Amino acid sequence: MLKNYLKIARRNLWRNKTFSAINVFGLAIGIAACFFIFEYVYFESSYDRFNKNATNIYRIPISYSGSMANVPTTAANHPAVGPAMKADFPEVTDYVRVVSVSLFMNASTMSYEPLNATPKTFNESKIFLADASFFKIFSYPLVYGDPKSCLTEANTIAISAAEAKKYFGSQNPIGQILKMNGRMPMKVTAVFKDIPENSHLKFDMLISFATVGPDWGKDVWTWPEFYNYVVLAPGTDVKKLEAKFPAFIQKYLGAKMKELSFGNTFQLQPITDIHLNSNYLKEAEANGSEKEIYFLGIIGVFILFIAWINYINLATAKSMERAKEVGLRKVVGAEKQQLIIQFLLESLIVNMLASFLATVIILAFVPFFNDFIGKDISTGFFSTGLGGRPIFWLSATGVFAFGALLVGAYPAFVLSSFLPAAVLKGLIIKSNKGISLRRVLVSFQFVLSIILISATLIVFKQFNYMRNGSLGYKKDQVLIVKSPAIADSTIGSRYNFFKSELKQTASVIGATTTSDIPGSMIRYRNSVRRANQDQSHNFTSYLMEIDENFIPAYKIELLAGKNFVASDSSGLNMKSNNKIIVNEEVVKALGYKSAVEAVNQDVLFRLGQADLPCKIIGVTKNFHQRSLKEKYDPILFYYPSYSDWKYISVNLNVANATKSISDIEASYKRSFPGNPFEYFFLDDYFNQQYHADNRLGNVFGLFAILAIVVASMGLLGLSSYVIKLRTKEIGVRKVLGASVSGLLVLVSKDFVRLVAVAAVIAIPIIYFSAADWLNSYAFHISLGWAIFVVPPILLLTITLITICLQSLKTALMNPVKSLRSD
């Protein structure tokens, strides 16, 4: 019997090649797309789960209130938090502190000086200080070295496998010496495997915390720049532990909070939540969004449902053709149960073929998909073992088999319920049975398609706005050169020499030296208030060190007052009239009505433990220091007295960038011998903040297009069949004088109505969902009429083109042939 079922199924599928192909390819694309989306969602959700003790590792962010209420929750905390928590709470079994070395020095180079060979010197940007417990707490496997002792001593360093190869080639680097900034020897004590992509911490080198001092930081409660991680004992009640934090904070920070009129709260943040549920200040990298990942998962479900709906629509439509087959088989003794099994088997075969084709697509396109999103997401799927476990593939097969049976059930029961007498009299063929269901399903497809088109349009408009919107300064053709890390007492004169060299370079318009550049969080911040106010009026402002060329080089608008001059490079000190420039956010926070009113006003800026008297000499227009996701930062600018800069910004005006960079490099090496020349362009650096958004936008757009393609394939098959059924009707109307355009309108009007109904349903969903998503951005696009009008029009255009291409041939056919059609 099974052999007979398979033979009939094969003949039926082969007889209806077009519809079978549409079903198989549509389902294959749906399954493959769903897999890729699942793989991406799984990867994004897998961050930091490779740590063996991940469920018990927590980060300690800090939140502010009172005079520091304008400071968002910060991922970093004071260096004393981890040690104090281990000492005060028995629930905390261990801790580790991690901080970038850039907090202690503006630039970092590493040098290896082998005997009788050329020294190797590189700039390094991913260097962290870490406690000795780092490799005990986190599961980063070592190639060489002891995880328990490799970071216990001062001036020891652990490096990645890639860094070991860069400096030492194939030799074992344990015991070798790297020189940091040409003067600080670091002994290599461990080599760890390259950091996996699904880690929220990305680093190339780890220096022992003991290098700063044996017990440094354990009593420092005024420097919230350190990532603090604690390990809780298994079974710890997190809420009960957090309830002890207010007393803990009062114990160590109470006096300082009272003095400066601010408040703090701490929380326990699971490390597995950081990537998708954390968008705090000073994150280690740009994180993803759980909401957006879930929405992407919904798209995957949408695509699969659209493919399944295509199958139901085509199967119920084709059921009219198979009515006589069912009637004859019932007459000769076939039972309803046998017919149900026959049609379910056909559905299962189609889904099996689609699954096989989907597997081929997946295997062929995995490398392309990884390149498309810029990540090897198989790191979080196959390497964790999930992809290699039979239970996963059995579960996936079961889900799709269940879906196939579920989707095939309706056509199977409809076909098997036909009465032989009605079928053989032709009553079933002439009936409208199944039309209502098909209309509902097609409308549902149209609703999903309109939502996906709108969502894609909104996502791309928002991301394009963030990338190309006005930032309030010039970021094009600005070359950023990293400041020298190897320096001596002559560094000030060397900077002056380099600037004079740049002035003589024809392609250089201007240059400026700064402590920070747009595109990242400013490192330093502290409280500011009017000179005649008490500390309860403090608010927090960022502190940026600039020279007199910064404002003109970046073309930042000066709203009132004046710029710095070279003689202002006296820094901040306890004397009166420290000259500062502020932006509009600081003016607003100080309570002045305008930029003009703020000029020449006296303020107090807290630096360390002292309030420094300052005079505002100028006010700049607000500009976007960080991405457009964030609000404007309050920024205070001053001109330091030393030459410890971090960046040199060079404003270029040249068509031949390669030649210009080569000239600048030559000047740099003459000015700062022994320092590697490293540069990047500001626009590229600034746009790095949007890598996660760009990746999500690309993935979102790709699968939205695939969903629409799958829906169009189903529409193509359904419209083709509808037109085939109405071939004779079209011939009769043509004989009676109907025009080709009139026939096209006749065939397409039902689908136009369905698009209109779908638009009415989809538009409110789009409005509320889009408004909620856009509100998570400080600066965003407005929901104009195009967002709601273009998607339905685009879908209607696709629908009409699909239908008209199918119906035009029939409308132009000789009526004689049409009337002869069966």
Side-chain angles (χ1 to χ4, degrees), residues 474 477-479 507-509 650-654 660 664 681:
K474 180 183 185 296
Q477 289 189 317
V478 177
L479 185 77
S507 58
V508 174
I509 299 174
V650 183
N651 208 336
L652 299 178
N653 181 20
V654 63
S660 180
I664 294 171
F681 282 94

Side-chain angles (χ1 to χ4, degrees), residues 11-28:
R11 288 174 178 174
N12 183 61
L13 293 174
W14 186 252
R15 187 184 304 118
N16 299 286
K17 300 182 188 68
T18 301
F19 295 99
S20 299
I22 288 173
N23 277 329
V24 170
F25 278 99
L27 281 170

Side-chain angles (χ1 to χ4, degrees), residues 47-48 50-51 140 195-203 285:
Y47 265 67
D48 298 301
F50 59 83
N51 290 291
Y140 298 105
I195 303 303
E197 190 68 47
N198 57 336
S199 169
H200 82 280
L201 284 174
K202 304 286 195 310
F203 52 90
E285 66 172 3

Side-chain angles (χ1 to χ4, degrees), residues 70-269:
N70 66 312
V71 180
T73 298
T74 306
N77 210 319
H78 306 287
V81 169
M85 283 194 171
K86 184 180 180 182
D88 288 14
F89 302 128
E91 298 93 334
V92 176
T93 61
D94 209 346
Y95 72 90
V96 62
R97 296 164 297 175
V98 180
V99 65
S100 172
V101 296
S102 63
L103 190 66
F104 295 88
M105 55 194 69
N106 284 335
S108 302
T109 65
M110 284 291 177
S111 304
Y112 174 54
E113 302 174 354
L115 293 174
N116 303 320
T118 304
K120 297 180 180 180
T121 302
F122 300 96
N123 281 327
E124 299 291 352
S125 59
K126 296 181 179 179
I127 308 178
F128 286 87
L129 288 167
D131 281 309
S133 56
F134 184 89
F135 289 108
K136 176 184 174 184
I137 292 175
F138 295 115
S139 303
Y140 298 105
L142 298 187
V143 179
Y144 301 110
D146 182 2
K148 295 180 181 179
S149 62
C150 64
L151 294 176
T152 55
E153 297 179 5
N155 297 94
T156 55
I157 188 171
I159 62 177
S160 69
E163 292 292 297
K165 185 176 181 181
K166 182 170 73 174
Y167 285 96
F168 305 103
S170 58
Q171 68 172 308
N172 184 341
I174 299 298
Q176 298 290 338
I177 301 297
L178 289 172
K179 278 190 177 180
M180 187 173 185
N181 295 345
R183 59 185 183 272
M184 298 172 61
M186 297 289 172
K187 181 181 178 182
V188 178
T189 53
V191 176
F192 52 86
K193 289 186 178 179
D194 293 339
I195 303 303
E197 190 68 47
N198 57 336
S199 169
H200 82 280
L201 284 174
K202 304 286 195 310
F203 52 90
D204 295 325
M205 296 180 172
L206 289 177
I207 295 174
S208 63
F209 217 99
T211 303
V212 184
D215 294 311
W216 187 91
K218 292 186 177 181
D219 56 354
V220 177
W221 292 91
T222 56
W223 205 359
E225 304 288 343
F226 296 72
Y227 299 122
N228 283 259
Y229 301 88
V230 295
V231 181
L232 303 187
T236 298
D237 189 320
V238 173
K239 294 298 181 184
K240 287 184 178 179
L241 179 56
E242 286 182 326
K244 300 177 182 180
F245 285 175
F248 174 83
I249 295 170
Q250 187 63 33
K251 175 182 176 181
Y252 293 102
L253 284 165
K256 183 64 64 177
M257 291 191 299
K258 183 178 180 181
E259 177 191 355
L260 299 179
S261 302
F262 72 91
N264 278 154
T265 55
F266 296 167
Q267 68 181 73
L268 290 168
Q269 182 183 33

Side-chain angles (χ1 to χ4, degrees), residues 302 440-454 754-755 757-763 765-766 795:
F302 279 3
V440 170
L441 294 178
V442 170
S443 296
F444 182 63
Q445 276 188 324
F446 285 163
V447 169
L448 297 183
S449 298
I450 291 173
I451 291 174
L452 289 175
I453 294 172
S454 296
L754 295 180
V755 171
V757 171
V760 171
I761 296 171
I763 286 173
I765 298 173
I766 295 166
L795 179 64

Side-chain angles (χ1 to χ4, degrees), residues 613-779:
C614 301
K615 184 175 288 292
I616 299 174
I617 66 168
V619 177
T620 70
K621 190 176 180 64
N622 284 334
F623 61 86
H624 293 282
Q625 173 65 26
R626 294 181 289 155
S627 78
L628 273 70
K629 287 182 176 182
E630 316 298 339
K631 298 177 181 179
Y632 289 121
D633 291 323
I635 306 175
L636 182 152
F637 306 93
Y638 85 100
Y639 199 154
S641 58
Y642 54 88
S643 302
D644 192 19
W645 304 105
K646 188 172 183 181
Y647 299 104
I648 305 165
S649 304
V650 183
N651 208 336
L652 299 178
N653 181 20
V654 63
N656 188 350
T658 304
K659 174 67 168 58
S660 180
I661 292 170
S662 178
D663 292 341
I664 294 171
E665 181 179 6
S667 297
Y668 184 90
K669 289 183 175 179
R670 285 194 297 269
S671 304
F672 310 110
N675 283 279
F677 177 74
E678 185 176 347
Y679 70 91
F680 52 86
F681 282 94
L682 181 65
D683 53 353
D684 294 333
Y685 179 78
F686 190 88
N687 288 333
Q688 284 179 2
Q689 300 173 97
Y690 301 129
H691 276 182
D693 297 311
N694 291 337
R695 185 167 58 248
L696 177 69
N698 290 339
V699 173
F700 191 93
L702 171 66
F703 291 113
I705 291 171
L706 285 177
I708 294 167
V709 167
V710 173
S712 298
M713 289 175 65
L715 182 64
L716 178 68
L718 186 61
S719 61
S720 175
Y721 183 73
V722 169
I723 291 164
K724 182 179 178 182
L725 289 179
R726 302 183 71 172
T727 299
K728 192 170 289 187
E729 176 192 348
I730 290 171
V732 172
R733 288 180 179 274
K734 198 168 184 182
V735 169
L736 295 176
S739 64
V740 173
S741 59
L743 292 173
L744 294 178
V745 170
L746 174 71
V747 174
S748 61
K749 65 181 181 180
D750 285 342
F751 290 97
V752 172
R753 291 195 191 102
L754 295 180
V755 171
V757 171
V760 171
I761 296 171
I763 286 173
I765 298 173
I766 295 166
Y767 176 80
F768 290 108
S769 300
D772 179 63
W773 181 69
L774 289 173
N775 284 336
S776 64
Y777 293 85
F779 298 87

